[in-house]
Amino acid sequence: MTIQFNDETFYGDFTFKNSDWAIKRFPFPFHEDSYMYSVNMEPHKSYRPGSVFERTFDVDEHYVSEMKDRARVLANDPLRCQSLPHMTLAGWDLVELIMEAKAAEYPDLFELHKDGNRWRWINKPLGIDDTFTFLDESTLPYGPMEYITRQTQGDFAVLDQRDDNLWMDAGMVTTQADWSLDFDIGMNFFEWHAPVPKAHEMGIFVRALKFLLNIQQGQPARRLNWTMTVNPLLDTSPENYHKWGVMKQGLTMENIGEKQHLRVELQTFFRLPRSNALVFPIRCYLISFNDLVKVPKWARRLHRVIRDLPEELATYKGFIDNRPLMVEWLSQFDDGTPTSDGIWPDDD
Amino acid sequence: MSAGTAKLNVTVAEVKPINDLVTRFKFVRTGGGDLPTFSGGAHTVVEMQDGGITRLNAYSLMSNPADRGAYTISVRRDDQGRGGSRFMHSQVKEGMEMVISNPVNLFSLDLRAKKHLMLAGGIGITPFMAQMHQLSMMDGNFELHYSVRTASLGTYAKELSERYPGKVHIYHDDQKEAIDLKTLLANQPLGTHVYVCGPKGMINWVHSTAGEMGWPREAVHSEEFLAPASGKPFEVKCAVSNKIVQVGEHQSLLEALEAAGIDAPYLCRGGACGQCETNVIGYDGKFLHYDHWLTDEQKAGGKHIMPCVSRFEGKTLVLDR
Ligand code: FES
């Protein structure tokens, strides 16, 4: 197998780590020295060999451990995965989308063999070799969406489209940045974004919804979003805030480099063919400040972005209290020299 | 993102006249291979190279959505129309290579429905054919009421009655048969969704009757693609691309923009999807809004136009394109 999979944890002793390869391909989200909220949507096309944008579904060294973490979270709280009855067909759509993409793009890791509706799926990293009947739920150990998303990194929001709106009617959500599927299930786009504070923000939501409703087969889209997390926690759910909220306290100049992580979400958007539903895979990437500053351009830029970020945004993203310490620590790596445009490291 | 949807290269595998007005076309992927799966109710936009003009018309996919080997559409000849359907009938031959769009669905089934009640008029039968394929595969509960002019113009009426015995009801206009909509709606089980596709009058009739009988708005679905209207030629200034564009008598504003090389989005080209909505920067004259998309308020406001179907009469029109 071409990828060396890490054996690591995202809780307890937190042994999560990024190799030099993973650092170099990290989806750093800032293309300039300041950050403004924008919809920043682009076509989800293969881009830059080796980057996280190359494949339909990125598989990296964290794959096996992330899937173990998902199984652990689900064992504690089965409500992290839900699908209303009319979404089963969308689940099959997702099975087909992921299996076909992974088998074509990672032939050394995944295989899909079809004999009519009789499908054989081989997932080598997880040691799975299953034969099942496509569209027949009784032939899988879980519902179709749960089956495939237990084998795919990232959270999944599966949305039904009707009445010119989108409805969060299914999902697998175990690595979220502070939102809850159990709370949002069955809500429409405006309900799960509520309360929308300002009228002009309402305008942004209406435009975003219109964009999403018009996502078509064969034309997936993507965007990056980011926040901060103390310790490499995948599961920062509101249900568990009492466990991870306290970790935000006790950061010092000595431990911040190791504990503070930039958390980047690669959000993708696909139209599903049989159900006409939409799926939003939300893949989470974590990098410690210590690893991030190994790329000099990122170190300088992150310092400037965090220093100049409007107060509301730092509050909204939940790190306003730790911001002064972050800025102080990052300033050691900023000699004031200019940074180049774009998100990639300079050394290539 | 750029105009339209992702494209598919296809070859015409079969051209089959169905009756005096309707011809069926079958497309396979050029060079072999599967076409994308689609869902019942989806359409494709067919590109026609007609002399110097590129025509793009949307047609519902009527084949089995699970069959990725081929797509089929049916085209009703419209001698009064602008030429797209005539081109399909007279120029398209087996073996011809064409370009069509990926499937787009603006008329999908509500999969929560306990029962799907379908009302078709004339060529409006085609999206239901794919939906019935899909539902019968999933053991879905459906019923079709199909109104045709005469038995000989009852496109696919016979096949459908045979394929889905007991679920298909045909009404012949020339025998004075008509759907008894009130009784039909009154006798549906709770959780039924109604779908209508056909002439404008039929669509309005179903919406208003269901509304009067207290059906929730979300349980009544319709689809009607409008053909772009012809009208007096007019001139448009495109502020972003800094071009002056002439719109011909039988050309839509969208087609004129495309011919001038201006990137203009679309999905349905029939006034239904909202994708082509364009901001008006200035005007002196009057709009002829034909779309289903803008609200009456927006239509009166003079700030938006849907270039796929709507027109303008007057001295100046400046668009944000
Ligand atoms: S293209 Fe759909 S409304 Fe104009």
Side-chain angles (χ1 to χ4, degrees), chain A residues 227-242:
Chain A
T227 184
M228 293 284 176
T229 302
V230 177
N231 286 325
L233 272 164
L234 279 178
D235 175 24
T236 51
S237 58
E239 290 91 337
N240 282 334
Y241 184 81
H242 59 285

mmCIF file of all heavy atoms in Angstrom, chain A residues 227-242:
data_model
loop_
_atom_site.group_PDB
_atom_site.id
_atom_site.type_symbol
_atom_site.label_atom_id
_atom_site.label_comp_id
_atom_site.label_asym_id
_atom_site.label_seq_id
_atom_site.Cartn_x
_atom_site.Cartn_y
_atom_site.Cartn_z
ATOM 1 N N THR A 227 -11.249 26.722 11.815
ATOM 2 C CA THR A 227 -11.417 27.188 13.179
ATOM 3 C C THR A 227 -10.207 26.707 13.973
ATOM 4 O O THR A 227 -9.221 26.253 13.384
ATOM 5 C CB THR A 227 -12.761 26.729 13.784
ATOM 6 O OG1 THR A 227 -12.903 27.292 15.081
ATOM 7 C CG2 THR A 227 -12.872 25.226 13.876
ATOM 8 N N MET A 228 -10.243 26.865 15.298
ATOM 9 C CA MET A 228 -9.123 26.464 16.149
ATOM 10 C C MET A 228 -9.611 25.431 17.147
ATOM 11 O O MET A 228 -10.741 25.521 17.647
ATOM 12 C CB MET A 228 -8.590 27.679 16.919
ATOM 13 C CG MET A 228 -7.933 28.726 16.060
ATOM 14 S SD MET A 228 -6.288 28.170 15.561
ATOM 15 C CE MET A 228 -5.826 29.542 14.485
ATOM 16 N N THR A 229 -8.744 24.465 17.479
ATOM 17 C CA THR A 229 -9.096 23.459 18.473
ATOM 18 C C THR A 229 -7.879 23.219 19.364
ATOM 19 O O THR A 229 -6.762 23.118 18.851
ATOM 20 C CB THR A 229 -9.484 22.128 17.788
ATOM 21 O OG1 THR A 229 -10.571 22.374 16.894
ATOM 22 C CG2 THR A 229 -9.937 21.101 18.794
ATOM 23 N N VAL A 230 -8.106 23.154 20.656
ATOM 24 C CA VAL A 230 -7.017 22.800 21.572
ATOM 25 C C VAL A 230 -7.010 21.281 21.704
ATOM 26 O O VAL A 230 -8.056 20.684 21.982
ATOM 27 C CB VAL A 230 -7.201 23.475 22.945
ATOM 28 C CG1 VAL A 230 -6.095 23.031 23.914
ATOM 29 C CG2 VAL A 230 -7.178 24.987 22.787
ATOM 30 N N ASN A 231 -5.849 20.686 21.473
ATOM 31 C CA ASN A 231 -5.654 19.225 21.381
ATOM 32 C C ASN A 231 -6.266 18.719 20.059
ATOM 33 O O ASN A 231 -7.227 19.294 19.556
ATOM 34 C CB ASN A 231 -6.278 18.463 22.553
ATOM 35 C CG ASN A 231 -5.460 18.639 23.834
ATOM 36 O OD1 ASN A 231 -4.235 18.716 23.767
ATOM 37 N ND2 ASN A 231 -6.139 18.731 24.951
ATOM 38 N N PRO A 232 -5.677 17.664 19.523
ATOM 39 C CA PRO A 232 -6.175 17.161 18.222
ATOM 40 C C PRO A 232 -7.468 16.373 18.385
ATOM 41 O O PRO A 232 -7.523 15.168 18.197
ATOM 42 C CB PRO A 232 -5.029 16.255 17.745
ATOM 43 C CG PRO A 232 -4.368 15.803 18.993
ATOM 44 C CD PRO A 232 -4.479 16.934 19.978
ATOM 45 N N LEU A 233 -8.529 17.090 18.689
ATOM 46 C CA LEU A 233 -9.836 16.470 18.905
ATOM 47 C C LEU A 233 -10.611 16.483 17.609
ATOM 48 O O LEU A 233 -10.836 17.544 17.045
ATOM 49 C CB LEU A 233 -10.624 17.330 19.886
ATOM 50 C CG LEU A 233 -10.497 17.112 21.363
ATOM 51 C CD1 LEU A 233 -11.062 18.339 22.078
ATOM 52 C CD2 LEU A 233 -11.293 15.879 21.769
ATOM 53 N N LEU A 234 -11.075 15.357 17.159
ATOM 54 C CA LEU A 234 -11.969 15.371 15.996
ATOM 55 C C LEU A 234 -13.378 15.701 16.450
ATOM 56 O O LEU A 234 -14.099 16.460 15.835
ATOM 57 C CB LEU A 234 -11.957 14.010 15.303
ATOM 58 C CG LEU A 234 -10.788 13.727 14.365
ATOM 59 C CD1 LEU A 234 -10.915 12.319 13.808
ATOM 60 C CD2 LEU A 234 -10.719 14.746 13.246
ATOM 61 N N ASP A 235 -13.765 15.092 17.578
ATOM 62 C CA ASP A 235 -15.148 15.188 18.026
ATOM 63 C C ASP A 235 -15.317 16.371 18.973
ATOM 64 O O ASP A 235 -15.223 16.224 20.179
ATOM 65 C CB ASP A 235 -15.525 13.871 18.718
ATOM 66 C CG ASP A 235 -16.910 13.931 19.336
ATOM 67 O OD1 ASP A 235 -17.737 14.746 18.871
ATOM 68 O OD2 ASP A 235 -17.163 13.166 20.285
ATOM 69 N N THR A 236 -15.566 17.562 18.402
ATOM 70 C CA THR A 236 -15.876 18.698 19.271
ATOM 71 C C THR A 236 -17.369 18.998 19.142
ATOM 72 O O THR A 236 -17.776 20.022 18.618
ATOM 73 C CB THR A 236 -15.048 19.950 18.916
ATOM 74 O OG1 THR A 236 -15.161 20.200 17.516
ATOM 75 C CG2 THR A 236 -13.589 19.760 19.259
ATOM 76 N N SER A 237 -18.165 18.058 19.606
ATOM 77 C CA SER A 237 -19.614 18.177 19.497
ATOM 78 C C SER A 237 -20.145 18.954 20.694
ATOM 79 O O SER A 237 -19.540 18.933 21.764
ATOM 80 C CB SER A 237 -20.231 16.784 19.498
ATOM 81 O OG SER A 237 -19.857 16.122 20.689
ATOM 82 N N PRO A 238 -21.297 19.620 20.510
ATOM 83 C CA PRO A 238 -21.885 20.323 21.647
ATOM 84 C C PRO A 238 -22.235 19.359 22.782
ATOM 85 O O PRO A 238 -22.152 19.716 23.949
ATOM 86 C CB PRO A 238 -23.143 20.964 21.061
ATOM 87 C CG PRO A 238 -23.281 20.488 19.670
ATOM 88 C CD PRO A 238 -22.044 19.789 19.269
ATOM 89 N N GLU A 239 -22.590 18.110 22.428
ATOM 90 C CA GLU A 239 -22.941 17.127 23.463
ATOM 91 C C GLU A 239 -21.772 16.910 24.426
ATOM 92 O O GLU A 239 -21.962 16.565 25.582
ATOM 93 C CB GLU A 239 -23.306 15.773 22.825
ATOM 94 C CG GLU A 239 -24.619 15.751 22.053
ATOM 95 C CD GLU A 239 -24.460 16.079 20.581
ATOM 96 O OE1 GLU A 239 -23.453 16.730 20.219
ATOM 97 O OE2 GLU A 239 -25.345 15.697 19.783
ATOM 98 N N ASN A 240 -20.545 17.069 23.891
ATOM 99 C CA ASN A 240 -19.358 16.796 24.710
ATOM 100 C C ASN A 240 -18.620 18.059 25.132
ATOM 101 O O ASN A 240 -17.459 17.984 25.534
ATOM 102 C CB ASN A 240 -18.391 15.871 23.949
ATOM 103 C CG ASN A 240 -18.863 14.433 24.007
ATOM 104 O OD1 ASN A 240 -19.564 14.051 24.943
ATOM 105 N ND2 ASN A 240 -18.496 13.650 23.014
ATOM 106 N N TYR A 241 -19.277 19.204 25.044
ATOM 107 C CA TYR A 241 -18.580 20.464 25.359
ATOM 108 C C TYR A 241 -17.972 20.429 26.753
ATOM 109 O O TYR A 241 -16.872 20.927 26.987
ATOM 110 C CB TYR A 241 -19.521 21.670 25.220
ATOM 111 C CG TYR A 241 -18.804 22.973 25.449
ATOM 112 C CD1 TYR A 241 -18.056 23.550 24.419
ATOM 113 C CD2 TYR A 241 -18.823 23.610 26.696
ATOM 114 C CE1 TYR A 241 -17.351 24.734 24.629
ATOM 115 C CE2 TYR A 241 -18.124 24.789 26.903
ATOM 116 C CZ TYR A 241 -17.394 25.345 25.874
ATOM 117 O OH TYR A 241 -16.699 26.507 26.074
ATOM 118 N N HIS A 242 -18.683 19.787 27.681
ATOM 119 C CA HIS A 242 -18.163 19.744 29.062
ATOM 120 C C HIS A 242 -16.803 19.051 29.115
ATOM 121 O O HIS A 242 -16.017 19.291 30.011
ATOM 122 C CB HIS A 242 -19.161 19.045 29.983
ATOM 123 C CG HIS A 242 -19.474 17.624 29.567
ATOM 124 N ND1 HIS A 242 -20.298 17.326 28.490
ATOM 125 C CD2 HIS A 242 -19.063 16.442 30.057
ATOM 126 C CE1 HIS A 242 -20.378 16.006 28.359
ATOM 127 N NE2 HIS A 242 -19.639 15.454 29.286
#
